[in-house]
Structures are given as structure tokens and as C-alpha cells.
Amino acid sequence: STKEYVSGFGINHKFKSLLKNINSEGTNSKKYKKDMQSEVLSILSYDVKLPLIKELDNNKKNYFTPKISIRHSPNKTKNVKEEARDLNTTNVFSLNRLGFNDNIEGGTSATLGFDFSHQNEDGNDFLTKKIATIFREKEDKNLPDTSTLGKKQSDIVGEIGFNASKNFLINYNYSLDNDWDQVNLHNITNEFRINNFVNKFSFYEENNIIGNKSYFENSFSYLFNGKNSLSFKTRENKKDNLTEFYNLIYEYKNDCLTASIIYN
């Protein structure tokens, strides 16, 4: 990748490229041919963003950054439509968002999105928002179905974070159908702390093309000191109406070692 170039108007430009030399040979494999194969795969992207800031009263600030990434690969995507892959705000702008060592996302696409954050008077991000979607020149049916990457327009993926204090955090990740009429993914996580007590709660639900999962998960832990902790974790499967597990965990941790005893 190049360094980030900043124009006089404040627009940031950056080029990124990925080059893979794949050598493969398979025996009784559905994925690789029996004879030795060697191929070169490549992808190039041009990333642009415009960081904006608005200063408010009492040293509060708003940050807003619209972004676009235009990418092209002359190669054709290998058939991985049955593979499970997620599209989210963490990987949507990644150059290798497929995550395969021996494959690359072929064709031409443009990823659009923005980041927003509200910073309080202490300099902490009180509220954060991220949203992005992908437009593709041609539909690619070889890309994983669950990621929606192969559509002319992918799902709209987003994230909302609310940090009331260091003791109370809540985060919501979602995937919205490009017709704006169905939510294909809900993922809500919450962390609550009181002194040495920490409680983490999450709700996860997949729908439609993404999958068919739904569960509540809760973890409660007590930190005796910097090295010893005791926690209890359970998960309730909402689709099958059953409790999947109860985990009781004692953990010891120092700078170079983590050891635990788990009752499941």
C-alpha cells in the first residue's frame, strides 16, 4: 500500500494492492486438481475519505468521515458460494474481505460508507456509528451467499456503539437487506461493571440468506485480583428453545501463562 496522500481540501487518498501466487496439487480433492497448478491472482483498490470535525460547546466534538473504496481484479472468483462468510463493519473495507489464502474477489466493485463519533468533554467516544454497503458492476454468483457480496448491491451493514461510562457499554451490529425491508442480522452486546464484578450479555439472531440462528448469552465474572477470576456462562438457543450449556470457569493469568479449570 502507498502512504496516505492528503489534498489541500483535506481529502485522503490511498492505493492498496494484493498479489497472490497460488501453487496447488490435490489428491481426492473437490477443490484442487490432481495435476500441479500455478496461478497469479491480483486486486487493486483506490481508497478515498474526507475526515470532518465539528467543535461543540464544552470541548465536545463530532467526527464524520465519508469513505469510498473502488477495487478491481482481472481474475475470476473461484466458486466458494457454499462457504460461510460474514460481512460487517470490521471487514467491509478490507482488501481481502473473503479471508481465503487461495482465492480473491474478482471483478469491479465500489464500497461506500461513513464513520461518525460524538466525543464528550473528557475526550471519550460517547456515541459511535458506522454504516457501509457494496455496489458491484456485475453479479458474482461464486461469492459466498451468506455474505451477500455477490449481489449487485450487498446488504447494508452497520454498527452503533454507546459508551455511557467505562462501566456501561452497549454495542449493536446489524445487516439490513438492500431493499430496506428486512433485517438479516441482529447482534447486541452489553457490558456492565461494578468494582470486581463484570456482566456481559449478548443477543444474536440470523435470518433469511445469512442463516438461522438465535440465542441469548450471558457471562458473569468476579475478578479476585489481577491474576485470578471466576466466571459463569450460559447460552439459551431461541430457535430450538433449549439451554445449550452452563460453563463454570476458574482462570489464572499472568504475563506469560493462562490456565483454567472448566466445568461444562
Side-chain angles (χ1 to χ4, degrees):
S1 65
T2 65
K3 70 177 184 178
E4 202 164 62
Y5 299 96
V6 183
S7 72
F9 188 69
I11 299 175
N12 296 11
H13 309 257
K14 189 175 185 177
F15 287 94
K16 293 188 295 185
S17 64
L18 182 63
L19 187 69
K20 294 186 179 187
N21 173 221
I22 310 299
N23 301 283
S24 63
E25 183 178 1
T27 302
N28 297 326
S29 172
K30 295 180 180 180
K31 190 174 183 181
Y32 301 111
K33 294 183 179 179
K34 184 177 180 181
D35 299 328
M36 183 68 180
Q37 277 190 301
S38 182
E39 56 185 333
V40 176
L41 308 177
S42 63
I43 188 170
L44 176 69
S45 78
Y46 173 54
D47 300 345
V48 182
K49 63 182 179 180
L50 178 61
L52 303 171
I53 181 173
K54 183 177 182 179
E55 297 184 353
L56 308 172
D57 297 333
N58 301 321
N59 293 324
K60 297 179 181 179
K61 297 176 182 177
N62 285 342
Y63 294 90
F64 180 71
T65 306
K67 301 188 290 185
I68 182 171
S69 174
I70 301 170
R71 60 188 67 193
H72 173 74
S73 172
N75 305 107
K76 182 180 178 181
T77 312
K78 295 178 183 177
N79 190 347
V80 287
K81 63 179 300 180
E82 301 297 331
E83 298 284 347
R85 283 295 184 271
D86 296 328
L87 185 67
N88 51 58
T89 55
T90 302
N91 64 17
V92 67
F93 282 97
S94 171
L95 194 58
N96 188 25
R97 55 192 169 201
L98 278 183
F100 293 106
N101 291 325
D102 58 351
N103 203 351
I104 210 160
E105 184 184 328
T108 304
S109 66
T111 307
L112 285 77
F114 70 81
D115 296 345
F116 170 84
S117 66
H118 172 71
Q119 198 175 84
N120 61 21
E121 58 271 17
D122 298 324
N124 299 318
D125 288 337
F126 180 77
L127 178 67
T128 59
K129 296 179 182 179
K130 296 180 180 180
I131 192 169
T133 189
I134 300 166
F135 294 92
R136 187 168 297 281
E137 181 186 23
K138 296 179 181 178
E139 187 176 355
D140 190 343
K141 295 184 178 180
N142 288 329
L143 287 165
D145 288 335
T146 56
S147 70
T148 70
L149 268 171
K151 294 182 177 182
K152 291 278 286 185
Q153 183 188 351
S154 74
D155 275 9
I156 300 159
V157 294
E159 178 182 355
I160 301 172
F162 175 65
N163 302 330
S165 70
K166 64 180 181 180
N167 296 322
F168 184 84
L169 313 173
I170 189 166
N171 200 71
Y172 174 51
N173 284 273
Y174 61 89
S175 182
L176 179 65
D177 189 85
N178 55 29
D179 292 327
W180 296 82
D181 59 350
Q182 296 183 87
V183 181
N184 293 327
L185 173 71
H186 300 277
N187 186 13
I188 303 170
T189 57
N190 168 244
E191 182 174 311
F192 179 63
R193 296 173 176 265
I194 299 178
N195 299 324
N196 290 355
F197 292 95
V198 180
N199 193 81
K200 295 180 180 179
F201 170 82
S202 65
F203 169 69
Y204 183 89
E205 183 178 58
E206 297 174 348
N207 296 298
N208 305 314
I209 195 172
I210 289 184
N212 187 34
K213 294 180 183 177
S214 180
Y215 61 81
F216 294 104
E217 187 172 277
N218 197 78
S219 172
F220 176 80
S221 60
Y222 179 77
L223 310 176
F224 295 100
N225 49 46
K227 296 182 178 180
N228 297 276
S229 66
L230 184 68
S231 63
F232 177 75
K233 187 176 182 180
T234 184
R235 184 159 73 188
E236 180 78 16
N237 187 317
K238 305 307 293 180
K239 293 287 186 182
D240 298 327
N241 193 27
L242 61 87
T243 301
E244 293 184 357
F245 61 78
Y246 298 100
N247 282 350
L248 184 63
I249 306 169
Y250 166 75
E251 186 174 81
Y252 170 81
K253 182 185 294 185
N254 60 27
D255 292 338
C256 59
L257 171 71
T258 299
S260 61
I261 299 173
I262 302 174
Y263 173 72
N264 178 275

